[in-house]
Amino acid sequence: MNQPQAASPAQDRDSAADAVTRHPQASGPLVCDPLLIFDTTKIRERIAELATDRENASLRSEVVALLRDANKAGRKVIAEGFAKSPFDSRPATRSYTYLTDGLVTSALYAASELMHPLGSPTRSERIAVLAVGGYGRGEMAPSSDVDLLFLTPYKITAWAESVIESMLYILWDLKLKVGHASRTIQDCLRLGREDFTIRTAMLEHRFLAGDELLGDEMDERLKADLFQGTAHEFIEAKLSEREARHIKQGQRYMVEPNVKEGKGGLRDLQSMYWIAKYLYQVQDTAELVPLGLFEPEEFDLFAKAENFLWAVRSHLHLLTGRPTEVLSFDMQVEVADRMGYQDNAGRRAVEIFMQDYFRQATTVGDLTRIFLTKLEATHQKGAPLLERLFRRRPRTKAGYKVVNNRLDIADPDEFLTDTLNLLRLFEEALRTGMLIHPDAMRLVTANLDLIDDNFRNTPEARRIFLDLLLKHGNPERALRRMNELGVLSAFLPEFAPIVAMMQFNMYHSYTVDEHTIQVISNFAAIEREELEDELPLSSRIMRKGLNRKVLMVAMLLHDIGKGQPVDHSILGAQIARKVAPRLGLSKTDSETVEWLVRYHLLMSDMAQKRDIADPRTVRAFAKAVKTVKRLDLLTVLTVCDIRGVGPDTWNNWKAALLRALYKQTREALENGMEALNREHRGAGAKKNLREALPDWPKALLKKEAARHYSPYWQGLHLTAHVDFAEMLRELEESDDPTGIVIRLFPDEDRDATRACFVMPDHPGIFSRVAGALALVGANVVDARSYTTKDGYVTDAFWIQDADGSPFEAARLPRLSQMIRKTLNGEVVARDALSSRDKIKKRERAFKVPTHITFDNDGSEIYTIIEVDTRDRPGLLFDLARTLSTSNVYIANAVIATYGEQVVDTFYVKDMFGLKYYAESKQKFLEKKLREAITEGAKRAQS
């Protein structure tokens, strides 16, 4: 172990002072003249003036005030310069680094030269200040951490401790987020061997000021004693970190991505640089080109992606004033605006911006794959795990070779003599189960121009493409790779506009192209019988058999019309009319594809926005579908479409609705519409009730069967009929004219809690119940309200908690107690809700126009009022109260929520039991509803 030596001059005093007082050097162009950002000479002259006849505490305060003003002025200049060129991030990141260097070195100057000066320093009284991590790399966003390493030759001395402490207090008082460590070179080597995070930080160290010889020695020792010969373990560690980070952050197409840590984000680019620097001692990513790791055009893509991502991150920091890394919905709008994006052709600026973002994230993924494969080729990276486990390689067809268990092309020139090989490559990859080698990918992307109209119209090209979808059992794998390489858009030019297209809402978790692939992935999983328990109906339909080719092409094209100012279903159907025949489908099959694309939302809308217990709803749907074959196709498409929206979109509630609609529609198509009449259903429901209550006296059963109108019998399940019968009997036996009976039942089959209420009938009950449920934080997904012939009301509400799940059984007694208080008038819902129905800040960027429609044809008895608007807590209560005060009787309410958008559908009659035919009455109600929505929206935004 080295020991400190006796006191002796460490180095020439003038050279030591020069090292401490050296000025920051910019590593490249800044946003403006460096002197406007930080004038080191003037600042230090002023610090020297302030030091005259001052105690250290007073001097520190003065230095902090001086540097605070300089920091504020420098940041203002950088922000202004960046705003003028909002995409040009590199000068901005260098400028923030330059400013920070000025602050840090000036703080060191004040601490070491003026507050704690040494006349004759010994060899042990030396200190070097190094920037490490991102700061050491010279890449700083506005709110990046300032990571410093204070390096001493031996155990830290009292003088060094005083200098470091004074310097840190100055930096902390400037509100800089400083990460720091004080170590010897030996400490750095020991800790670097133990911790890869520390090793990575030191890999990017940069000397700032102090003893430069000590900094040089550190540099040499790290290379010789830590980095040399340990590349393999470092690479494996970085790749393991990357994999863990991707699992934590989610997929590349998450709609609120983490710009720094997410898949395709800055950390992926930085990981490549770390590995390259560790292996080849490069100082700049441009050096990867002469090393053969990137082609020149690939490096250009790297630089473009890096520049874009740093711009986004810097704007995020400037907007929030803190190190925000998640591109949340509200920030997306503001960043898009700062970067100059504008609305265009029916698309919002934020959607265009996010499409660019996801395209850059995809580029990062492509470059990472190329880079890692090159490392494999030089044996710097371990072979893929599967190859290590199973060394036997699959046999490939002629023209291909296997490189590191990846499918590569044996002779590129020969390969390109037949342009159809650009598709056959993906077929061979699926057949062998191998990943495609990046060199083969490079060849494909470089020759996309060969996929022209002649190519697309070749029967063999159509055959290969359809086989990719239908023959190998995992079409999503081929489609995703074809999409990333641009082959899918080249073969189907109509697909290009939706690549990386984000839909700016809270409902869709993926970009449009990724959603399409997710839909097809769900279909493939059903075919593989992996979702038998979860999707019994779809699995049964698939076993029975349907036209897979028609369904697959319809899935591929169902959202192809998105991003235009017209209805995407209509435009998509028009596109499908051209594309389906081009893919080789017959006239009949092409017409079916066109119909499926045009009406791919019909079943979902009918099930979620209408009362499917109403015979006219099912009748209208059956007339639109026409045949059981189309019903089967549309059902599977609908299920896969909903599941492809996001990981949490599908639930038992939607499954139950779709199953019920399918069952009734199929019965109507096979046995005629008469099967749907109310009387037929009512008789069966009464019979089932009698069988479910065998111990009841006949007189009570007869009374129960006679007291309800026909909609009651067809609108509820037997379990609800039993509940209401028992609750009505309980209320009557209590002899309480104002009594309320409440039952909460966890309906696990529907992922909801059924809340049943029985009480004497009077105006406004529906809105009061809605208000009570809103107060306890319940989201209503369905509601039925029925009056009896003897003056009672039976209300059934299906509710979920904030996570879209049934309420836990343990919470139900307290829930019931709070609801009862509200219904009894002890709590006034309107007043209590006024402070609770706020919209979260990150959700305020969403704008949903309000549409209100009146439909007198969709139901035999009721007018259907559909309110499509921005969702918020308490909305259903506001709408129901507005209708109630306008003397509107609400029979049913069906609530469909799509992220921030909600469609509340009310089945209503006027006070005389009639529909709302008069246009004047419809306009009056629409005006009142819009006023309630506007007033509530203002309250929610406040």
Side-chain angles (χ1 to χ4, degrees), residues 203-238:
L203 177 67
E204 300 187 295
H205 72 273
R206 177 170 59 90
F207 178 79
L208 291 176
D211 192 298
E212 196 159 5
L213 293 177
L214 192 57
D216 291 342
E217 184 184 349
M218 165 80 162
D219 192 46
E220 291 167 8
R221 292 287 303 280
L222 285 175
K223 289 175 183 174
D225 299 345
L226 182 59
F227 299 156
Q228 191 171 351
T230 58
H232 185 79
E233 66 180 41
F234 180 80
I235 292 169
E236 292 294 329
K238 289 294 111 182

mmCIF file of all heavy atoms in Angstrom, residues 203-238:
data_model
loop_
_atom_site.group_PDB
_atom_site.id
_atom_site.type_symbol
_atom_site.label_atom_id
_atom_site.label_comp_id
_atom_site.label_asym_id
_atom_site.label_seq_id
_atom_site.Cartn_x
_atom_site.Cartn_y
_atom_site.Cartn_z
ATOM 1 N N LEU A 203 -15.712 5.412 -16.780
ATOM 2 C CA LEU A 203 -15.357 5.275 -18.194
ATOM 3 C C LEU A 203 -15.466 6.623 -18.908
ATOM 4 O O LEU A 203 -14.733 6.907 -19.848
ATOM 5 C CB LEU A 203 -16.297 4.246 -18.845
ATOM 6 C CG LEU A 203 -16.160 3.996 -20.347
ATOM 7 C CD1 LEU A 203 -14.825 3.328 -20.660
ATOM 8 C CD2 LEU A 203 -17.313 3.124 -20.839
ATOM 9 N N GLU A 204 -16.368 7.467 -18.411
ATOM 10 C CA GLU A 204 -16.632 8.748 -19.067
ATOM 11 C C GLU A 204 -16.082 9.928 -18.275
ATOM 12 O O GLU A 204 -16.619 11.029 -18.357
ATOM 13 C CB GLU A 204 -18.147 8.915 -19.265
ATOM 14 C CG GLU A 204 -18.744 7.815 -20.121
ATOM 15 C CD GLU A 204 -20.191 8.071 -20.460
ATOM 16 O OE1 GLU A 204 -21.026 8.080 -19.544
ATOM 17 O OE2 GLU A 204 -20.485 8.258 -21.642
ATOM 18 N N HIS A 205 -15.033 9.689 -17.489
ATOM 19 C CA HIS A 205 -14.494 10.787 -16.689
ATOM 20 C C HIS A 205 -13.836 11.844 -17.587
ATOM 21 O O HIS A 205 -13.333 11.543 -18.669
ATOM 22 C CB HIS A 205 -13.496 10.253 -15.659
ATOM 23 C CG HIS A 205 -12.206 9.808 -16.255
ATOM 24 N ND1 HIS A 205 -11.986 8.545 -16.759
ATOM 25 C CD2 HIS A 205 -11.030 10.480 -16.441
ATOM 26 C CE1 HIS A 205 -10.759 8.452 -17.232
ATOM 27 N NE2 HIS A 205 -10.145 9.602 -17.051
ATOM 28 N N ARG A 206 -13.874 13.059 -17.113
ATOM 29 C CA ARG A 206 -13.291 14.184 -17.865
ATOM 30 C C ARG A 206 -12.660 15.134 -16.850
ATOM 31 O O ARG A 206 -13.329 15.585 -15.914
ATOM 32 C CB ARG A 206 -14.398 14.888 -18.670
ATOM 33 C CG ARG A 206 -13.951 16.119 -19.455
ATOM 34 C CD ARG A 206 -15.086 16.564 -20.408
ATOM 35 N NE ARG A 206 -16.291 16.885 -19.703
ATOM 36 C CZ ARG A 206 -16.622 18.100 -19.230
ATOM 37 N NH1 ARG A 206 -15.778 19.113 -19.399
ATOM 38 N NH2 ARG A 206 -17.762 18.307 -18.602
ATOM 39 N N PHE A 207 -11.399 15.431 -17.037
ATOM 40 C CA PHE A 207 -10.704 16.328 -16.121
ATOM 41 C C PHE A 207 -11.259 17.750 -16.245
ATOM 42 O O PHE A 207 -11.411 18.273 -17.346
ATOM 43 C CB PHE A 207 -9.206 16.336 -16.431
ATOM 44 C CG PHE A 207 -8.405 17.270 -15.568
ATOM 45 C CD1 PHE A 207 -8.055 16.910 -14.280
ATOM 46 C CD2 PHE A 207 -8.023 18.523 -16.035
ATOM 47 C CE1 PHE A 207 -7.324 17.774 -13.473
ATOM 48 C CE2 PHE A 207 -7.306 19.395 -15.236
ATOM 49 C CZ PHE A 207 -6.943 19.028 -13.953
ATOM 50 N N LEU A 208 -11.556 18.361 -15.081
ATOM 51 C CA LEU A 208 -12.078 19.733 -15.070
ATOM 52 C C LEU A 208 -11.033 20.726 -14.583
ATOM 53 O O LEU A 208 -10.751 21.731 -15.240
ATOM 54 C CB LEU A 208 -13.314 19.821 -14.158
ATOM 55 C CG LEU A 208 -14.588 19.115 -14.638
ATOM 56 C CD1 LEU A 208 -15.672 19.228 -13.571
ATOM 57 C CD2 LEU A 208 -15.075 19.712 -15.951
ATOM 58 N N ALA A 209 -10.469 20.448 -13.423
ATOM 59 C CA ALA A 209 -9.512 21.404 -12.839
ATOM 60 C C ALA A 209 -8.780 20.726 -11.688
ATOM 61 O O ALA A 209 -9.138 19.635 -11.255
ATOM 62 C CB ALA A 209 -10.251 22.651 -12.349
ATOM 63 N N GLY A 210 -7.749 21.400 -11.185
ATOM 64 C CA GLY A 210 -6.976 20.849 -10.081
ATOM 65 C C GLY A 210 -5.657 20.302 -10.577
ATOM 66 O O GLY A 210 -5.050 20.842 -11.520
ATOM 67 N N ASP A 211 -5.214 19.205 -9.977
ATOM 68 C CA ASP A 211 -3.919 18.611 -10.302
ATOM 69 C C ASP A 211 -4.052 17.739 -11.556
ATOM 70 O O ASP A 211 -4.562 16.622 -11.508
ATOM 71 C CB ASP A 211 -3.432 17.779 -9.117
ATOM 72 C CG ASP A 211 -1.970 17.376 -9.279
ATOM 73 O OD1 ASP A 211 -1.690 16.656 -10.263
ATOM 74 O OD2 ASP A 211 -1.136 17.779 -8.456
ATOM 75 N N GLU A 212 -3.562 18.233 -12.686
ATOM 76 C CA GLU A 212 -3.747 17.546 -13.958
ATOM 77 C C GLU A 212 -2.928 16.263 -14.032
ATOM 78 O O GLU A 212 -3.347 15.286 -14.661
ATOM 79 C CB GLU A 212 -3.378 18.468 -15.122
ATOM 80 C CG GLU A 212 -3.906 17.987 -16.451
ATOM 81 C CD GLU A 212 -3.997 19.099 -17.483
ATOM 82 O OE1 GLU A 212 -3.557 20.238 -17.185
ATOM 83 O OE2 GLU A 212 -4.515 18.824 -18.565
ATOM 84 N N LEU A 213 -1.757 16.238 -13.376
ATOM 85 C CA LEU A 213 -0.953 15.014 -13.375
ATOM 86 C C LEU A 213 -1.689 13.870 -12.682
ATOM 87 O O LEU A 213 -1.609 12.719 -13.103
ATOM 88 C CB LEU A 213 0.387 15.273 -12.672
ATOM 89 C CG LEU A 213 1.342 16.243 -13.381
ATOM 90 C CD1 LEU A 213 2.591 16.463 -12.526
ATOM 91 C CD2 LEU A 213 1.720 15.701 -14.759
ATOM 92 N N LEU A 214 -2.437 14.205 -11.627
ATOM 93 C CA LEU A 214 -3.231 13.210 -10.912
ATOM 94 C C LEU A 214 -4.355 12.685 -11.814
ATOM 95 O O LEU A 214 -4.647 11.485 -11.838
ATOM 96 C CB LEU A 214 -3.810 13.840 -9.632
ATOM 97 C CG LEU A 214 -4.426 12.904 -8.594
ATOM 98 C CD1 LEU A 214 -3.415 11.857 -8.136
ATOM 99 C CD2 LEU A 214 -4.938 13.713 -7.396
ATOM 100 N N GLY A 215 -4.953 13.596 -12.568
ATOM 101 C CA GLY A 215 -5.990 13.198 -13.526
ATOM 102 C C GLY A 215 -5.438 12.288 -14.600
ATOM 103 O O GLY A 215 -6.068 11.294 -14.979
ATOM 104 N N ASP A 216 -4.232 12.599 -15.099
ATOM 105 C CA ASP A 216 -3.600 11.771 -16.131
ATOM 106 C C ASP A 216 -3.276 10.378 -15.594
ATOM 107 O O ASP A 216 -3.438 9.368 -16.289
ATOM 108 C CB ASP A 216 -2.315 12.426 -16.634
ATOM 109 C CG ASP A 216 -2.595 13.697 -17.436
ATOM 110 O OD1 ASP A 216 -3.755 13.863 -17.877
ATOM 111 O OD2 ASP A 216 -1.677 14.519 -17.597
ATOM 112 N N GLU A 217 -2.777 10.345 -14.337
ATOM 113 C CA GLU A 217 -2.451 9.051 -13.734
ATOM 114 C C GLU A 217 -3.710 8.194 -13.592
ATOM 115 O O GLU A 217 -3.690 6.982 -13.852
ATOM 116 C CB GLU A 217 -1.809 9.261 -12.354
ATOM 117 C CG GLU A 217 -1.357 7.950 -11.710
ATOM 118 C CD GLU A 217 -0.822 8.155 -10.296
ATOM 119 O OE1 GLU A 217 -0.606 9.312 -9.885
ATOM 120 O OE2 GLU A 217 -0.645 7.133 -9.600
ATOM 121 N N MET A 218 -4.804 8.837 -13.200
ATOM 122 C CA MET A 218 -6.091 8.127 -13.080
ATOM 123 C C MET A 218 -6.483 7.519 -14.435
ATOM 124 O O MET A 218 -6.885 6.352 -14.523
ATOM 125 C CB MET A 218 -7.161 9.128 -12.621
ATOM 126 C CG MET A 218 -8.585 8.650 -12.790
ATOM 127 S SD MET A 218 -9.100 7.548 -11.490
ATOM 128 C CE MET A 218 -10.882 7.671 -11.721
ATOM 129 N N ASP A 219 -6.330 8.278 -15.476
ATOM 130 C CA ASP A 219 -6.701 7.834 -16.826
ATOM 131 C C ASP A 219 -5.885 6.592 -17.218
ATOM 132 O O ASP A 219 -6.429 5.595 -17.707
ATOM 133 C CB ASP A 219 -6.460 8.976 -17.810
ATOM 134 C CG ASP A 219 -7.086 8.714 -19.162
ATOM 135 O OD1 ASP A 219 -8.252 8.289 -19.194
ATOM 136 O OD2 ASP A 219 -6.413 8.923 -20.179
ATOM 137 N N GLU A 220 -4.597 6.657 -16.978
ATOM 138 C CA GLU A 220 -3.719 5.541 -17.353
ATOM 139 C C GLU A 220 -3.999 4.293 -16.531
ATOM 140 O O GLU A 220 -4.018 3.173 -17.057
ATOM 141 C CB GLU A 220 -2.255 5.962 -17.177
ATOM 142 C CG GLU A 220 -1.794 7.015 -18.191
ATOM 143 C CD GLU A 220 -0.459 7.637 -17.805
ATOM 144 O OE1 GLU A 220 0.161 7.134 -16.843
ATOM 145 O OE2 GLU A 220 -0.050 8.618 -18.451
ATOM 146 N N ARG A 221 -4.223 4.475 -15.209
ATOM 147 C CA ARG A 221 -4.464 3.320 -14.330
ATOM 148 C C ARG A 221 -5.791 2.636 -14.658
ATOM 149 O O ARG A 221 -5.907 1.414 -14.600
ATOM 150 C CB ARG A 221 -4.457 3.773 -12.869
ATOM 151 C CG ARG A 221 -3.107 4.230 -12.343
ATOM 152 C CD ARG A 221 -2.145 3.063 -12.118
ATOM 153 N NE ARG A 221 -2.654 2.059 -11.207
ATOM 154 C CZ ARG A 221 -2.631 2.152 -9.875
ATOM 155 N NH1 ARG A 221 -2.106 3.233 -9.293
ATOM 156 N NH2 ARG A 221 -3.101 1.172 -9.122
ATOM 157 N N LEU A 222 -6.801 3.415 -14.994
ATOM 158 C CA LEU A 222 -8.092 2.820 -15.357
ATOM 159 C C LEU A 222 -7.955 1.938 -16.588
ATOM 160 O O LEU A 222 -8.460 0.810 -16.622
ATOM 161 C CB LEU A 222 -9.139 3.916 -15.624
ATOM 162 C CG LEU A 222 -9.730 4.644 -14.423
ATOM 163 C CD1 LEU A 222 -10.653 5.763 -14.882
ATOM 164 C CD2 LEU A 222 -10.495 3.683 -13.507
ATOM 165 N N LYS A 223 -7.250 2.444 -17.594
ATOM 166 C CA LYS A 223 -7.082 1.673 -18.829
ATOM 167 C C LYS A 223 -6.271 0.393 -18.577
ATOM 168 O O LYS A 223 -6.622 -0.682 -19.059
ATOM 169 C CB LYS A 223 -6.383 2.525 -19.891
ATOM 170 C CG LYS A 223 -7.251 3.642 -20.449
ATOM 171 C CD LYS A 223 -6.448 4.531 -21.403
ATOM 172 C CE LYS A 223 -7.297 5.697 -21.905
ATOM 173 N NZ LYS A 223 -6.500 6.648 -22.722
ATOM 174 N N ALA A 224 -5.199 0.535 -17.811
ATOM 175 C CA ALA A 224 -4.277 -0.595 -17.625
ATOM 176 C C ALA A 224 -4.788 -1.603 -16.597
ATOM 177 O O ALA A 224 -4.663 -2.818 -16.783
ATOM 178 C CB ALA A 224 -2.902 -0.077 -17.214
ATOM 179 N N ASP A 225 -5.361 -1.110 -15.498
ATOM 180 C CA ASP A 225 -5.671 -1.981 -14.357
ATOM 181 C C ASP A 225 -7.150 -2.326 -14.204
ATOM 182 O O ASP A 225 -7.504 -3.167 -13.369
ATOM 183 C CB ASP A 225 -5.186 -1.325 -13.053
ATOM 184 C CG ASP A 225 -3.687 -1.092 -13.056
ATOM 185 O OD1 ASP A 225 -3.005 -1.695 -13.917
ATOM 186 O OD2 ASP A 225 -3.201 -0.304 -12.227
ATOM 187 N N LEU A 226 -8.025 -1.677 -14.967
ATOM 188 C CA LEU A 226 -9.460 -1.959 -14.800
ATOM 189 C C LEU A 226 -10.123 -2.355 -16.118
ATOM 190 O O LEU A 226 -10.794 -3.377 -16.209
ATOM 191 C CB LEU A 226 -10.179 -0.739 -14.209
ATOM 192 C CG LEU A 226 -11.685 -0.920 -13.940
ATOM 193 C CD1 LEU A 226 -11.929 -2.067 -12.962
ATOM 194 C CD2 LEU A 226 -12.298 0.374 -13.393
ATOM 195 N N PHE A 227 -9.905 -1.556 -17.171
ATOM 196 C CA PHE A 227 -10.617 -1.795 -18.426
ATOM 197 C C PHE A 227 -9.998 -2.921 -19.256
ATOM 198 O O PHE A 227 -10.706 -3.713 -19.868
ATOM 199 C CB PHE A 227 -10.655 -0.515 -19.273
ATOM 200 C CG PHE A 227 -11.365 0.641 -18.604
ATOM 201 C CD1 PHE A 227 -11.072 1.963 -18.969
ATOM 202 C CD2 PHE A 227 -12.312 0.434 -17.610
ATOM 203 C CE1 PHE A 227 -11.715 3.033 -18.363
ATOM 204 C CE2 PHE A 227 -12.962 1.492 -16.991
ATOM 205 C CZ PHE A 227 -12.653 2.797 -17.368
ATOM 206 N N GLN A 228 -8.677 -2.992 -19.248
ATOM 207 C CA GLN A 228 -7.993 -3.941 -20.128
ATOM 208 C C GLN A 228 -8.320 -5.384 -19.740
ATOM 209 O O GLN A 228 -8.228 -5.781 -18.582
ATOM 210 C CB GLN A 228 -6.482 -3.717 -20.062
ATOM 211 C CG GLN A 228 -5.713 -4.481 -21.130
ATOM 212 C CD GLN A 228 -4.242 -4.067 -21.175
ATOM 213 O OE1 GLN A 228 -3.848 -3.105 -20.530
ATOM 214 N NE2 GLN A 228 -3.445 -4.796 -21.916
ATOM 215 N N GLY A 229 -8.725 -6.168 -20.744
ATOM 216 C CA GLY A 229 -8.991 -7.587 -20.523
ATOM 217 C C GLY A 229 -10.314 -7.905 -19.870
ATOM 218 O O GLY A 229 -10.590 -9.059 -19.535
ATOM 219 N N THR A 230 -11.162 -6.888 -19.643
ATOM 220 C CA THR A 230 -12.450 -7.141 -18.968
ATOM 221 C C THR A 230 -13.642 -6.750 -19.851
ATOM 222 O O THR A 230 -14.743 -6.548 -19.355
ATOM 223 C CB THR A 230 -12.526 -6.354 -17.641
ATOM 224 O OG1 THR A 230 -12.364 -4.948 -17.923
ATOM 225 C CG2 THR A 230 -11.441 -6.805 -16.674
ATOM 226 N N ALA A 231 -13.386 -6.633 -21.155
ATOM 227 C CA ALA A 231 -14.443 -6.164 -22.062
ATOM 228 C C ALA A 231 -15.650 -7.094 -22.066
ATOM 229 O O ALA A 231 -16.799 -6.647 -22.044
ATOM 230 C CB ALA A 231 -13.892 -6.016 -23.479
ATOM 231 N N HIS A 232 -15.390 -8.410 -22.066
ATOM 232 C CA HIS A 232 -16.501 -9.368 -22.179
ATOM 233 C C HIS A 232 -17.471 -9.214 -21.008
ATOM 234 O O HIS A 232 -18.697 -9.149 -21.205
ATOM 235 C CB HIS A 232 -15.960 -10.791 -22.246
ATOM 236 C CG HIS A 232 -17.030 -11.816 -22.489
ATOM 237 N ND1 HIS A 232 -17.563 -12.061 -23.729
ATOM 238 C CD2 HIS A 232 -17.674 -12.643 -21.620
ATOM 239 C CE1 HIS A 232 -18.487 -13.010 -23.638
ATOM 240 N NE2 HIS A 232 -18.573 -13.373 -22.364
ATOM 241 N N GLU A 233 -16.925 -9.161 -19.790
ATOM 242 C CA GLU A 233 -17.808 -9.057 -18.618
ATOM 243 C C GLU A 233 -18.545 -7.720 -18.594
ATOM 244 O O GLU A 233 -19.711 -7.648 -18.187
ATOM 245 C CB GLU A 233 -17.018 -9.261 -17.321
ATOM 246 C CG GLU A 233 -15.998 -8.171 -17.015
ATOM 247 C CD GLU A 233 -15.247 -8.428 -15.708
ATOM 248 O OE1 GLU A 233 -14.885 -9.600 -15.455
ATOM 249 O OE2 GLU A 233 -15.035 -7.461 -14.956
ATOM 250 N N PHE A 234 -17.884 -6.655 -19.072
ATOM 251 C CA PHE A 234 -18.541 -5.341 -19.110
ATOM 252 C C PHE A 234 -19.705 -5.351 -20.098
ATOM 253 O O PHE A 234 -20.792 -4.859 -19.798
ATOM 254 C CB PHE A 234 -17.520 -4.263 -19.501
ATOM 255 C CG PHE A 234 -18.098 -2.875 -19.568
ATOM 256 C CD1 PHE A 234 -18.296 -2.135 -18.412
ATOM 257 C CD2 PHE A 234 -18.464 -2.301 -20.784
ATOM 258 C CE1 PHE A 234 -18.833 -0.850 -18.459
ATOM 259 C CE2 PHE A 234 -18.998 -1.030 -20.846
ATOM 260 C CZ PHE A 234 -19.178 -0.304 -19.678
ATOM 261 N N ILE A 235 -19.478 -5.921 -21.276
ATOM 262 C CA ILE A 235 -20.527 -5.966 -22.293
ATOM 263 C C ILE A 235 -21.728 -6.774 -21.794
ATOM 264 O O ILE A 235 -22.881 -6.346 -21.918
ATOM 265 C CB ILE A 235 -19.981 -6.562 -23.613
ATOM 266 C CG1 ILE A 235 -18.962 -5.597 -24.235
ATOM 267 C CG2 ILE A 235 -21.103 -6.846 -24.599
ATOM 268 C CD1 ILE A 235 -18.173 -6.197 -25.372
ATOM 269 N N GLU A 236 -21.462 -7.936 -21.206
ATOM 270 C CA GLU A 236 -22.556 -8.767 -20.699
ATOM 271 C C GLU A 236 -23.345 -8.015 -19.624
ATOM 272 O O GLU A 236 -24.571 -8.095 -19.560
ATOM 273 C CB GLU A 236 -22.006 -10.082 -20.138
ATOM 274 C CG GLU A 236 -21.430 -11.023 -21.193
ATOM 275 C CD GLU A 236 -22.476 -11.555 -22.159
ATOM 276 O OE1 GLU A 236 -23.646 -11.715 -21.754
ATOM 277 O OE2 GLU A 236 -22.143 -11.793 -23.340
ATOM 278 N N ALA A 237 -22.633 -7.275 -18.773
ATOM 279 C CA ALA A 237 -23.307 -6.507 -17.715
ATOM 280 C C ALA A 237 -24.184 -5.412 -18.310
ATOM 281 O O ALA A 237 -25.325 -5.201 -17.882
ATOM 282 C CB ALA A 237 -22.261 -5.899 -16.770
ATOM 283 N N LYS A 238 -23.670 -4.708 -19.311
ATOM 284 C CA LYS A 238 -24.443 -3.623 -19.933
ATOM 285 C C LYS A 238 -25.675 -4.165 -20.658
ATOM 286 O O LYS A 238 -26.745 -3.553 -20.630
ATOM 287 C CB LYS A 238 -23.570 -2.841 -20.919
ATOM 288 C CG LYS A 238 -22.491 -1.982 -20.286
ATOM 289 C CD LYS A 238 -23.080 -0.844 -19.470
ATOM 290 C CE LYS A 238 -22.865 -1.013 -17.993
ATOM 291 N NZ LYS A 238 -23.472 0.044 -17.172
#
